[in-house]
Amino acid sequence: MSYQDKYEMVCGVETHVELATKTKIFCGCTTEFGGEQNTHVCPVCLGLPGTLPVLNREAVNLAIKAGLALNCEIAEFTKFDRKNYFYPDLSKNYQTSQYDLPICKNGRLEIVVNGESKTIGITRAHMEEDAGKLVHSGESITTSDSSYVDYNRAGVPLLEIVSEPDMRTVDEVIAYLQELVQILDYAGVSDCKMEQGSVRFDVNVSLRPLGSRELGTRTEIKNLNSFTAVRRCLEYETERQAEVLNEGEKVIQETRTWDESQGVTLSLRTKEEAHDYRYFPEADLVPLKIDREWVERIRATLPELPAAKRERLKTLGLSVYEAGVLTSSKAMADYFDQVMQKYADAKIVANWIMGDLSALLKANNRSFEDCPVKPYQLADMLKLLKKGEISGKIAKTVLEEIYTSGKDPAVIVKEKGLVQISDQDALEKIITEVLVQNPKSVADYKGGKEKAFGFLVGQVMKATKGKANPELVNKILKEKL
Amino acid sequence: MKTIRKSLTELHTLLVNKEISSVELTGEYLDHISEFEPRIRAFITVTAEKALARAKKIDQKIAQGESIGPLAGIPMALKDNLCTEEVATTCASQMLRGFIPPYNATVAARLEAAGAVLVGKLNMDEFAMGSTTESSAIFLTANPWDLSRVPGGSSGGSAASVAAGEVPYSLGSDTGGSIRQPAAFCGVVGLKPTYGAVSRYGLVAFASSLDQVGPLTRTVRDNALVLNAIAGYDVLDSTSVPFNKPDYTHFLENNVKGLKIGVPKEFFEHGLKPEVAEVIQRAIKTYEQLGAEIEECSLPHMEYVLPAYHVISTAECSSNLARYDGVSYGYRAEAEEMIDMCETTRAKAFGPEVKRRMLFGTYALSSGNYEAYYVKAQKVRTLIKQDFAQALAKYHVLLSPTTPTVAYKIGEISEPVACYMGDVYTIPVNLAGLPAISIPAGFVDNMPVGLQLIGNYFAEGLLYRAAYAFEQNTGYYQEIPALLREAE
């Protein structure tokens, strides 16, 4: 029995995205991922006595850009606040964040689930600084003798995007997250590298009896770092809450954590134990006035966003599915557009990108961001194919060769002698030989066995090392038989 | 050569005319510090070696015929909440014992650039919280006028060192009167500049929206010279203001004819001692005789000043001081668990006054209390700003006593609230972000009394003009503590 038989899920998500600035939000340290521990630090991000924050303009630019991409209102007046809590990875024991006047609010985005589109509201998006990272000497914090703090990440700019509790199924949640991450990726607001923790999710989830309008008691599950984790976690948590409710108990409002290895959520702290963050205005920074010219300047830098891109691809004759796959990452979509500039057959370009090229990248654990086959090389190869200079089969070989050697397709075709044999006389000669050598198949074919024809084609291809023009082979064979 | 208690201008002339070298001058002051410190105890750290090395560099410049600025080669000292690169900065707290900043506060860097010679770091109330320097976790500082009395606070070491002639000038910080009150108690000139006129970068924060760094000097001219060097926009402090910084010495004319001075009647209430009031009344007469136009005025919301200040300043301090947890610098208590370590560190290394204020501030910011305390206090702050705006639209400056009393006896004030009451005339100025100066105005029982002048935003020049005229026509700055007279 599934929770869905009796209950409806209500879910909202807080997404923390690292903004793609070169330097931290309040100091000049690099935001580069990795690096030896505590090397990307200075007195300001270490929170040493007497230091003061200076706001990174570019972080504001990116926050505005994200807000515009998510159809938000951009605040004309915004400010920073302190969120006070003690934790050793927080160098000042308060996080500089935004409380009552966030930079963005009242946005939305569209998702499509099972062919139906739905609008998900964005309550707000606010800027804040990331904390450092605790490194434990043992397996976990409880089994360690000592812990160390790495402040490299402290002060990396984050945007926290809070959705409305508009999602009713796990699929909707995943669709929302995918669309959100795609938009941020397209807008260039974040590098969206989930494996490096550039995007993290906190989900708020509750159940209510089917047909009920009231909200049930929610739990918040913090710090999920992949779509898979969100899906598994929600699948677990909804069933857990359903069991509690089925037993006539009440769901406790609490913060929970997702244990990936056990596949369960565990209680972190209850409402009574919740932090009182004692938010109050950050007096070390002045409030920020964002005039409309500033907003328009940022709007002008917004690229085509995924939804618009999908629509455009559909007008090129691609299916909803193809448009969806091609726009699933900005790098892939950009790649498609670049190939199209040199070879404007959307269907063929889409097939090669989604098929052979994607397979090659996947097999080598790479992505379109650093694809060794340059868009012009794929276009050139497709031109050779169209002109009939190479066969479809050879084309696959050529693509692999470009991938490994980086050489241009024309060079590869020439060096390896891969030019398709489209010479009528040469092919006739070869085919005559094949027919002589395979009298049985000839007889079979003439006796009505269609299969024998395929075998003969194969023999011709074998003799030409695949270079024979297949159409011509078919034609000549039929004539000769 | 007697250089102690000479003005900055005189010292500069001696250096330029090569009548004394910076090394000799620095040496004389270091000797004077050695002689007086056992009694005054203004210095937490004396940086003799570094100071002499620095003085030597200035001497080389002079020898090479380079022109030097008005502060070059002249000793000075900084309150120990101003970060100094490679020199311990303790905030007079066990918490920061042994903390050596890897950077200079902007004011320290600016003085260094001006060729100033840092001879040490000065005692203060722990984390600048207090009005007597008795909350210092290091030791008590004595008032040079009467060693059984406090120098005031929190910049007690800054005021006492200047009054005792240990340095020609010092820097202090003022959150609710912490420059002006000790200046008044020790008979020196202390300026709290407009909020945003001097960078707070490297000033260890007490209350971010109120803190401001300023000079303590023997004379008004010296004060203007030091402000010249430290004021001005700083990219490292987002609350510092880009403004056209004048040469403040240009305002020093002995003329207050036509100057309109408002005297807020509320500043003569709240426990003002009659003897102090008398001194201030005499000062008002002096101004009248000099041609200023004096009028009584009113700042109607002054009775709410103390509660508003204590909510805002403690709220900010509760957050500003959260960073002292033993994790990456300063004192650390050993404990089994991470959170235990943090709690024990804070329990052991903070003194009672600091704890009291952090508790108060935490309470005021807690959910359920925030609206009633913090938000209300901010509204009061707005009203106080408006009071001042109205008064300063009518008058060039406002005049009041700096403090209701002269310096207390050591240990005299045991009740925290009684101590807070003593700051009632200085605190409103911080809440409004205005500049104010305290200058010597006379004596009660051989103890100095301070006169406070409050000006409009960035009107430090006008304050100097008004202060200078008074100083030149009264000469209280020439009075010397008995201690010094005996030494001479």
Side-chain angles (χ1 to χ4, degrees):
Chain A
M1 182 172 145
S2 153
Y3 78 91
Q4 285 163 308
D5 298 339
K6 280 175 77 175
Y7 304 103
E8 179 181 54
M9 179 190 89
V10 176
C11 181
V13 187
E14 291 162 22
T15 306
H16 302 257
V17 191
E18 273 184 18
L19 294 172
T21 54
K22 287 197 179 67
T23 55
K24 292 184 179 181
I25 187 165
F26 299 127
C27 66
C29 292
T30 177
T31 55
E32 217 174 283
F33 179 74
E36 186 132 341
Q37 282 154 9
N38 293 314
T39 52
H40 302 167
V41 295
C42 73
V44 175
C45 56
L46 288 175
L48 293 188
T51 57
L52 297 171
V54 177
L55 180 60
N56 180 342
R57 284 258 138 182
E58 187 55 18
V60 182
N61 288 341
L62 292 176
I64 294 173
K65 204 170 180 183
L68 292 173
L70 297 170
N71 304 298
C72 290
E73 296 163 19
I74 308 300
E76 290 184 35
F77 182 89
T78 183
K79 69 176 172 72
F80 286 89
D81 301 276
R82 290 187 186 177
K83 179 180 181 178
N84 295 285
Y85 65 97
F86 280 88
Y87 205 68
D89 65 2
L90 199 58
S91 60
K92 297 167 289 174
N93 283 323
Y94 61 81
Q95 180 190 32
T96 303
S97 180
Q98 297 194 286
Y99 185 55
D100 55 340
L101 296 172
I103 185 163
C104 312
K105 60 178 184 180
N106 298 337
R108 67 190 180 281
L109 58 74
E110 298 288 320
I111 58 168
V112 179
V113 174
N114 300 328
E116 297 214 7
S117 66
K118 178 172 177 177
T119 302
I120 306 295
I122 308 280
T123 317
R124 56 182 280 164
H126 66 255
M127 292 177 277
E128 61 187 24
E129 58 181 337
D130 207 345
K133 205 171 88 183
L134 284 190
V135 183
H136 307 295
S137 62
E139 288 279 298
S140 72
I141 189 163
T142 44
T143 60
S144 296
D145 290 337
S146 52
S147 299
Y148 303 88
V149 197
D150 177 7
Y151 290 108
N152 279 356
R153 213 176 62 185
V156 167
L158 298 179
L159 190 68
E160 180 176 331
I161 301 161
V162 182
S163 85
E164 288 288 309
D166 284 346
M167 289 151 276
R168 298 288 175 268
T169 64
V170 177
D171 284 345
E172 284 184 6
V173 175
I174 300 301
Y176 164 74
L177 297 182
Q178 283 173 338
E179 184 67 16
L180 177 66
V181 169
Q182 239 183 69
I183 290 171
L184 299 171
D185 175 33
Y186 271 63
V189 164
S190 170
D191 66 15
C192 293
K193 285 183 181 154
M194 307 256 244
E195 68 285 0
Q196 294 182 3
S198 296
V199 191
R200 277 120 61 191
F201 310 104
D202 300 343
V203 297
N204 284 280
V205 60
S206 65
L207 297 185
R208 62 184 171 193
L210 289 175
S212 166
R213 309 281 298 167
E214 272 169 57
L215 288 172
T217 306
R218 68 189 160 85
T219 59
E220 181 180 25
I221 303 112
K222 276 192 147 5
N223 232 347
L224 301 160
N225 55 13
S226 71
F227 297 148
T228 322
V230 172
R231 179 179 287 284
R232 287 183 65 207
C233 160
L234 280 178
E235 281 166 358
Y236 174 86
E237 181 63 15
T238 45
E239 292 302 337
R240 187 192 71 82
Q241 289 189 14
E243 263 175 51
V244 171
L245 294 172
N246 287 339
E247 281 165 25
E249 310 263 325
K250 282 181 177 160
V251 171
I252 300 165
Q253 186 174 340
E254 61 185 352
T255 304
R256 298 177 73 85
T257 179
W258 170 241
D259 185 318
E260 184 85 45
S261 56
Q262 295 184 65
V264 297
T265 63
L266 302 166
S267 179
L268 208 58
R269 52 181 176 263
T270 62
K271 193 185 172 190
E272 287 71 36
E273 297 163 331
H275 294 301
D276 179 355
Y277 289 122
R278 290 172 280 119
Y279 280 102
F280 76 111
E282 167 59 277
D284 285 335
L285 291 166
V286 287
L288 196 60
K289 287 185 185 117
I290 302 172
D291 60 35
R292 295 304 95 180
E293 283 93 311
W294 188 354
V295 174
E296 291 315 311
R297 216 159 52 235
I298 301 296
R299 197 192 300 277
T301 66
L302 264 186
E304 185 182 33
L305 294 171
K309 195 156 231 161
R310 281 194 295 270
E311 286 311 308
R312 182 166 60 78
L313 294 198
K314 280 192 251 168
T315 66
L316 296 175
L318 297 181
S319 68
V320 174
Y321 172 75
E322 287 166 327
V325 174
L326 283 172
T327 54
S328 61
S329 85
K330 180 169 193 292
M332 192 175 187
D334 286 348
Y335 194 93
F336 173 82
D337 280 342
Q338 283 166 27
V339 178
M340 285 289 289
Q341 278 174 18
K342 301 214 179 266
Y343 189 85
D345 187 328
K347 209 78 189 176
I348 288 177
V349 173
N351 280 342
W352 280 90
I353 288 179
M354 290 164 58
D356 291 84
L357 189 51
S358 288
L360 264 176
L361 288 169
K362 202 174 171 194
N364 292 289
N365 248 328
R366 297 179 81 153
S367 75
F368 279 92
E369 253 164 80
D370 54 355
C371 178
V373 180
K374 301 282 163 270
Y376 82 86
Q377 291 175 317
L378 178 59
D380 285 357
M381 190 208 80
L382 293 175
K383 282 180 199 162
L384 292 177
L385 182 64
K386 191 177 184 193
K387 276 193 254 168
E389 286 186 27
I390 54 171
S391 67
K393 197 169 171 221
I394 291 294
K396 288 175 196 280
T397 315
V398 172
L399 186 68
E400 279 169 33
E401 193 58 32
I402 305 171
Y403 189 97
T404 45
S405 71
K407 287 178 185 168
D408 285 348
V411 175
I412 292 166
V413 168
K414 203 174 160 197
E415 277 180 6
K416 303 233 158 180
L418 297 174
V419 181
Q420 179 165 271
I421 303 168
S422 300
D423 181 324
Q424 179 105 12
D425 293 347
L427 275 182
E428 274 187 26
K429 215 173 132 194
I430 294 163
I431 288 170
T432 309
E433 237 169 77
V434 167
L435 293 180
V436 169
Q437 281 166 10
N438 295 285
K440 190 172 175 290
S441 298
V442 174
D444 282 353
Y445 178 73
K446 286 186 174 162
K449 283 188 180 168
E450 284 289 324
K451 259 190 177 173
F453 188 80
F455 174 77
L456 291 168
V457 172
Q459 291 304 305
V460 176
M461 285 302 179
K462 199 174 164 193
T464 58
K465 290 177 182 150
K467 290 184 286 180
N469 180 330
E471 278 172 41
L472 218 50
V473 171
N474 276 346
K475 191 175 148 239
I476 297 169
L477 251 182
K478 278 202 177 132
E479 284 168 9
K480 294 226 177 227
L481 287 167
Chain B
M1 193 179 296
K2 275 275 165 264
T3 54
I4 307 306
R5 290 186 70 84
K6 284 204 184 309
S7 73
L8 291 175
T9 314
E10 289 167 320
L11 294 174
H12 177 67
T13 309
L14 291 175
L15 286 168
V16 170
N17 294 341
K18 298 183 185 164
E19 289 174 55
I20 191 168
S21 70
S22 174
V23 169
E24 287 164 340
L25 180 64
T26 305
E28 279 196 24
Y29 273 94
L30 287 171
D31 289 347
H32 190 67
I33 290 169
S34 304
E35 190 189 336
F36 276 69
E37 266 310 276
R39 283 166 289 175
I40 305 295
R41 295 179 308 274
F43 283 81
I44 292 175
T45 308
V46 176
T47 53
E49 248 176 70
K50 280 194 163 78
L52 289 168
R54 175 122 191 90
K56 204 169 166 187
K57 277 193 182 156
I58 305 295
D59 282 338
Q60 283 164 358
K61 277 193 175 181
I62 298 170
Q64 284 161 8
E66 278 183 52
S67 75
I68 56 162
L71 303 181
I74 299 174
M76 59 88 185
L78 301 173
K79 187 175 181 179
D80 213 18
N81 60 353
L82 291 164
C83 286
T84 40
E85 194 173 346
E86 288 172 32
V87 175
T89 300
T90 67
C91 290
S93 178
Q94 295 296 349
M95 189 58 97
L96 284 179
R97 241 188 179 172
F99 172 65
I100 297 177
Y103 50 92
N104 268 324
T106 295
V107 288
R110 286 187 178 172
L111 286 179
E112 191 175 310
V117 176
L118 176 73
V119 294
K121 303 294 293 291
L122 298 162
N123 200 17
M124 53 188 279
D125 281 297
E126 183 177 9
F127 281 102
M129 295 173 202
S131 308
T132 61
T133 310
E134 289 170 300
S135 78
S136 166
I138 317 292
F139 41 61
L140 298 180
T141 295
N143 190 314
W145 293 87
D146 177 349
L147 298 178
S148 70
R149 289 178 190 264
V150 300
S154 65
S155 309
S158 301
S161 61
V162 173
E166 295 178 314
V167 277
Y169 70 96
S170 66
L171 294 189
S173 68
D174 191 316
T175 307
S178 281
I179 289 173
R180 290 159 288 156
Q181 186 254 27
F185 281 9
C186 292
V188 299
V189 179
L191 176 86
K192 194 228 51 114
T194 307
Y195 186 81
V198 177
S199 171
R200 292 186 297 118
Y201 186 81
L203 164 68
V204 180
F206 160 14
S208 310
S209 75
L210 301 160
D211 296 343
Q212 193 62 190
V213 181
L216 292 99
T217 56
R218 209 166 55 81
T219 68
V220 175
R221 178 177 294 276
D222 285 359
N223 211 283
L225 281 167
V226 180
L227 189 65
N228 272 348
I230 62 169
Y233 175 69
D234 177 17
V235 70
L236 297 178
D237 176 2
S238 308
T239 63
S240 87
V241 178
F243 68 102
N244 285 327
K245 188 179 71 167
D247 178 342
Y248 293 104
T249 60
H250 288 171
F251 292 90
L252 304 175
E253 50 173 319
N254 188 354
N255 178 8
V256 288
K257 278 206 177 70
L259 192 78
K260 289 183 188 156
I261 300 178
V263 180
K265 62 175 198 277
E266 292 81 5
F267 281 49
F268 290 78
E269 298 162 359
H270 307 289
L272 177 63
K273 287 267 183 286
E275 311 82 36
V276 175
E278 246 173 66
V279 169
I280 301 304
Q281 292 303 341
R282 274 207 301 278
I284 291 171
K285 289 235 164 61
T286 304
Y287 271 114
E288 265 170 350
Q289 283 158 8
L290 293 172
E293 296 167 24
I294 313 275
E295 219 173 83
E296 191 186 77
C297 66
S298 173
L299 301 168
H301 295 96
M302 285 311 117
E303 63 178 300
Y304 306 110
V305 156
L306 281 178
Y309 169 79
H310 279 280
V311 168
I312 292 168
S313 67
T314 59
E316 291 181 7
C317 107
S318 73
S319 175
N320 280 332
L321 272 68
R323 69 188 65 195
Y324 307 110
D325 56 7
V327 172
S328 53
Y329 54 84
Y331 177 84
R332 173 191 284 192
E334 292 305 323
E336 284 295 304
E337 301 282 328
M338 204 161 63
I339 297 304
D340 271 357
M341 180 203 82
C342 169
E343 286 177 0
T344 317
T345 295
R346 293 171 65 80
K348 283 189 172 170
F350 281 132
E353 183 60 28
V354 172
K355 283 181 190 163
R356 180 161 34 241
R357 297 202 194 194
M358 287 192 300
L359 274 174
F360 194 113
T362 303
Y363 179 82
L365 288 177
S366 296
S367 65
N369 297 336
Y370 183 76
E371 291 285 326
Y373 291 91
Y374 187 80
V375 173
K376 189 73 126 195
Q378 291 294 3
K379 287 179 182 167
V380 171
R381 188 173 188 173
T382 304
L383 292 175
I384 287 162
K385 276 186 194 172
Q386 286 170 358
D387 279 2
F388 275 113
Q390 277 164 18
L392 287 165
K394 214 170 157 196
Y395 308 104
H396 294 111
V397 297
L398 305 177
L399 181 154
S400 78
T402 307
T403 56
T405 67
V406 294
Y408 322 117
K409 289 275 187 188
I410 289 170
E412 179 185 336
I413 308 277
S414 51
E415 266 296 295
V417 176
C419 193
Y420 303 160
M421 288 298 293
D423 297 330
V424 67
Y425 307 143
T426 48
I427 281 172
V429 174
N430 297 76
L431 287 173
L434 293 166
I437 194 167
S438 177
I439 52 173
F443 294 85
V444 169
D445 299 333
N446 293 319
M447 289 307 293
V449 171
L451 170 74
Q452 177 173 244
L453 299 168
I454 305 163
N456 222 326
Y457 299 103
F458 299 101
E460 281 82 354
L462 195 58
L463 288 182
Y464 282 140
R465 183 181 144 200
Y468 184 72
F470 183 83
E471 175 190 78
Q472 293 303 307
N473 288 285
T474 56
Y476 292 117
Y477 71 99
Q478 286 162 327
E479 301 286 334
I480 298 175
L483 190 75
L484 269 177
R485 226 172 1 214
E486 287 155 21
E488 277 169 13

